[in-house]
Amino acid sequence: MITVSNVSLTFGGQKLFAGADLKFMPGNCYGIIGANGAGKSTFLRILSGELEPTTGSVTYPADQRMSTLKQDQFKYDAYPVLDTVIMGNQRLYDIMKEKDELYAKPDFSEADGERAAELEGEFAEMDGWNAESDAATLLTGLGIGADMHYTLMGDLKGGEKVKVLLAQALFGNPDILLLDEPTNNLDNRSVAWLEDFLMDFPGTLIVVSHDRWFLNNICTHIVDIDFSQVKMYVGNYDFWYESSKLMQAIMKDQKKRRDDKIRELQNFIQRFSANKSKAKQATSRRKLLDQLTIEQMPASSRRYPWVNFSPDREAGKDILNVSNINYSQDGVQLLKDVSFLVTKGQKIALVGPNEQAQTALFRILAEELEPDSGTAKWGVTISTSYFPKDNGPYFDGCDKNMLDWFAQYCPSNMLESDMRDLLGRMLFRGDDVYKQVNVLSGGEKVRCMLSRMMLSGANFIMLDQPTNHLDLESITAVNNALINFPGNVIFTSQDHQFVTTIADRIIEIKEDGTIADYLCNYEEYLEKTK
């Protein structure tokens, strides 16, 4: 159990949160949420002991081992992959190394023998004989094959390093596990494996994540950082989200409607409690929900951007015909004989292990790249709008403020007041519109790009990883906008729920550049390819 008592944190005179009093219990999973900048990762660092709070304390039993997901990708560059994972239990790793050094001594003494016997006893108690096989199992589950287990960390790519560091955090049955964005750089199969692993985790699990599907599957509680406070609520993310909206409605409604809204909320709790989930924690979560009262429900100050894509004209019969496209980059063939026909209204998710290939196809469709061979033919009624994975060219070196930048993409007769109104709906309010665009955060740049796209009136939208850099509120807004969009969409995203709720067709780009086409939704695709 972790006990948080009167914890507050102030940075540079600005209060992030204050008066946090919480208890984290074994067998539960706690998802930490909050707007960008609210202090989610900072709060996790306080829980781990890496950062001292301004006031208050965090305590946990001295005999419990805590494991965290390391963020420094270069720290272990000199070590083999398998050793790096075993370092997740530093005491076990130290015993293994000391044993090896003792047995390698040419003048092995009686004292050395006594010391070796002590180490062997402790090694056996810690299940050391299974350490390498356990580490290998974790790596394989996360997509790091056996051929890489003895490779030096310094020789791995960034995404591969992240997977090894995640395996390190999971290794050795820790009592307390703290994970900051564990699904970053994981493909969806690795995320599914991680979910299954964490559902069986018996200790105290605390996670920061922007992946709603992940939070819904594993969480028994949500810890919300809002109103400069840290509060804990029973249930997963969807339960928090829906109940928060209902509570906001109750707070805004006139007295005569409050009782109706409260009854609606009580009915919602009962319905949600009856839901079944594959998570082993579902039973305990339902019991907790059954005991919930109205006073324990969340109310949030969170702001959601307004995202709406409205086509200027309806598409005709012919949409897009991609025929025998081939494309190579730096001597590597990314796309090979790619052909597919898009019909009216389809919403297509591109999936697969090679994101370079996905981006290349987007850029060819957007006419930014010429294929080596083949064609992409658009219907005469089709107008497109493209969200690139790398939006740097739109902002780097630009000395315009946000309002002037946005004006470039607005109709010539659009009033400044209307521009400010649209930017305000995208959470750029007041003097925000005078910020220089080259200093905006990643999430702010994405919201600028989405604002630009909303002006296009396109009936075919292409989005390459639009959920990168966005907080949960913005992801939810974009998700809902694409569900409601009446035109065609082709997109990629690492957000499971985003793909699941939008796509009705899946195109998988394989390692060799060929495609497999599935006329089904994402869950059906996963089942077919399992």
Side-chain angles (χ1 to χ4, degrees):
M1 181 177 71
I2 302 176
T3 303
V4 177
S5 303
N6 193 34
V7 163
S8 66
L9 187 70
T10 302
F11 267 141
Q14 180 181 359
K15 180 178 68 175
L16 278 181
F17 43 79
D21 289 293
L22 308 167
K23 287 186 178 180
F24 298 90
M25 305 296 292
N28 290 330
C29 173
Y30 303 85
I32 301 178
I33 64 170
N36 284 347
K40 301 182 294 293
S41 296
T42 302
F43 185 65
L44 206 64
R45 290 173 62 202
I46 290 174
L47 294 180
S48 71
E50 182 184 346
L51 182 67
E52 282 291 325
T54 306
T55 66
S57 62
V58 176
T59 58
Y60 55 90
D63 61 344
Q64 293 198 340
R65 186 171 73 84
M66 177 183 290
S67 184
T68 63
L69 175 56
K70 306 292 191 301
Q71 301 299 315
D72 185 355
Q73 295 185 17
F74 306 102
K75 181 177 180 180
Y76 302 94
D77 278 359
Y79 296 93
V81 166
L82 207 61
D83 281 19
T84 302
V85 175
I86 296 173
M87 285 181 195
N89 188 337
Q90 190 62 48
R91 176 57 188 159
L92 176 60
Y93 180 78
D94 291 344
I95 289 172
M96 293 172 67
K97 289 305 164 187
E98 187 177 352
K99 278 192 352 171
D100 290 344
E101 290 170 4
L102 282 173
Y103 292 137
K105 290 176 68 173
D107 54 345
F108 190 81
S109 66
E110 184 177 341
D112 292 332
E114 292 174 357
R115 177 57 179 163
E118 292 175 5
L119 293 173
E120 290 289 4
E122 191 173 355
F123 181 74
E125 287 178 7
M126 299 177 76
D127 198 25
W129 296 110
N130 292 317
E132 290 194 0
S133 63
D134 289 347
T137 298
L138 293 170
L139 288 167
T140 303
L142 291 169
I144 302 295
D147 58 321
M148 302 172 67
H149 291 184
Y150 295 95
T151 304
L152 289 179
M153 286 286 287
D155 295 331
L156 300 186
K157 298 174 184 176
E160 294 166 342
K161 289 183 178 181
V162 171
K163 290 182 177 182
V164 176
L165 293 178
L166 179 54
Q168 180 193 75
L170 303 178
F171 177 78
N173 304 313
D175 302 291
I176 299 168
L177 184 56
L178 308 182
L179 301 176
D180 192 354
E181 296 292 357
T183 60
N184 282 1
N185 294 290
L186 296 188
D187 58 80
N188 288 316
R189 296 189 189 284
S190 297
V191 172
W193 178 91
L194 179 62
E195 287 175 5
D196 289 339
F197 181 93
L198 295 178
M199 285 173 191
D200 292 332
F201 183 71
T204 304
L205 175 61
I206 306 175
V207 178
V208 171
S209 178
H210 284 101
D211 189 326
R212 296 163 297 163
W213 187 275
F214 183 72
L215 291 174
N216 281 331
N217 278 343
I218 69 170
C219 287
T220 59
H221 296 73
I222 292 296
V223 176
D224 183 30
I225 303 180
D226 199 4
F227 296 109
S228 297
Q229 295 179 314
V230 185
K231 290 190 175 181
M232 184 183 295
Y233 302 100
V234 173
N236 62 11
Y237 177 77
D238 273 355
F239 183 79
W240 174 88
Y241 175 69
E242 295 296 338
S243 55
S244 175
K245 288 198 301 183
L246 285 170
M247 280 302 294
Q248 286 175 321
I250 289 173
M251 292 166 67
K252 291 178 182 177
D253 267 352
Q254 296 295 325
K255 176 68 174 76
K256 63 181 180 179
R257 298 184 59 192
R258 284 177 62 88
D259 291 342
D260 291 339
K261 282 292 181 183
I262 288 173
R263 278 193 294 272
E264 181 183 352
L265 184 52
Q266 289 169 332
N267 291 335
F268 169 72
I269 294 172
Q270 291 172 358
R271 290 198 312 274
F272 201 98
S273 298
N275 282 353
K276 294 190 181 297
S277 167
K278 65 179 181 178
K280 286 189 174 182
Q281 297 145 333
T283 301
S284 61
R285 184 162 62 206
R286 285 197 294 272
K287 290 179 180 177
L288 291 167
L289 289 171
D290 288 340
Q291 301 167 10
L292 202 57
T293 65
I294 295 297
E295 290 73 22
Q296 295 171 302
M297 300 302 293
S300 175
S301 67
R302 206 88 85 250
R303 298 184 303 165
Y304 291 80
W306 178 82
V307 182
N308 180 57
F309 302 109
S310 180
D312 289 339
R313 65 181 295 185
E314 185 179 349
K317 180 181 178 182
D318 296 326
I319 307 297
L320 171 64
N321 185 4
V322 174
S323 179
N324 297 315
I325 281 183
N326 290 273
Y327 179 74
S328 297
Q329 183 175 300
D330 299 327
V332 177
Q333 186 160 18
L334 297 178
L335 301 171
K336 182 179 179 181
D337 298 327
V338 172
S339 298
F340 59 91
L341 184 69
V342 179
T343 58
K344 187 173 180 178
Q346 285 184 328
K347 297 179 180 179
I348 303 169
L350 296 182
V351 302
N354 193 338
E355 292 186 5
Q356 274 187 297
Q358 296 166 9
T359 296
L361 181 57
F362 275 117
R363 295 188 66 196
I364 289 170
L365 297 180
E367 300 179 348
E368 291 185 358
L369 284 179
E370 283 287 333
D372 300 332
S373 61
T375 58
K377 185 178 180 181
W378 293 97
V380 294
T381 63
I382 302 304
S383 56
T384 65
S385 185
Y386 171 47
F387 180 97
K389 183 178 181 179
D390 178 14
N391 58 39
Y394 289 85
F395 300 98
D396 295 345
C398 180
D399 60 358
K400 296 181 184 293
N401 64 38
M402 192 184 306
L403 191 59
D404 291 339
W405 180 91
F406 187 54
Q408 300 174 102
Y409 306 105
C410 296
S412 57
N413 61 348
M414 190 172 185
L415 299 175
E416 180 177 319
S417 58
D418 293 329
M419 296 181 204
R420 292 179 68 112
D421 179 59
L422 180 53
L423 289 172
R425 291 184 175 194
M426 291 299 285
L427 309 185
F428 300 116
R429 294 171 179 163
D431 291 341
D432 286 348
V433 298
Y434 298 116
K435 290 174 68 173
Q436 298 295 113
V437 294
N438 56 5
V439 298
L440 296 178
S441 69
E444 288 173 328
K445 289 177 180 177
V446 170
R447 281 189 275 125
C448 280
M449 294 294 291
L450 293 171
S451 301
R452 167 183 169 271
M453 290 182 71
M454 285 192 284
L455 294 172
S456 69
N459 52 25
F460 196 114
I461 294 177
M462 299 179 286
L463 305 108
D464 190 1
Q465 299 292 349
T467 54
N468 288 358
H469 307 295
L470 290 183
D471 56 21
L472 282 165
E473 293 71 45
S474 298
I475 292 172
T476 301
V478 178
N479 197 158
N480 292 337
L482 292 178
I483 290 171
N484 296 325
F485 180 62
N488 285 87
V489 182
I490 187 167
F491 70 100
T492 60
S493 175
Q494 291 183 336
D495 187 298
H496 190 124
Q497 187 162 335
F498 194 85
V499 180
T500 299
T501 54
I502 297 170
D504 54 24
R505 180 179 175 184
I506 308 296
I507 294 180
E508 178 185 357
I509 304 181
K510 300 181 178 181
E511 287 280 12
D512 64 358
T514 61
I515 67 167
D517 199 347
Y518 299 86
L519 293 173
C520 62
N521 63 33
Y522 187 56
E523 288 301 300
E524 292 168 336
Y525 157 77
L526 290 177
E527 188 64 29
K528 287 180 179 181
T529 58
K530 184 167 60 176

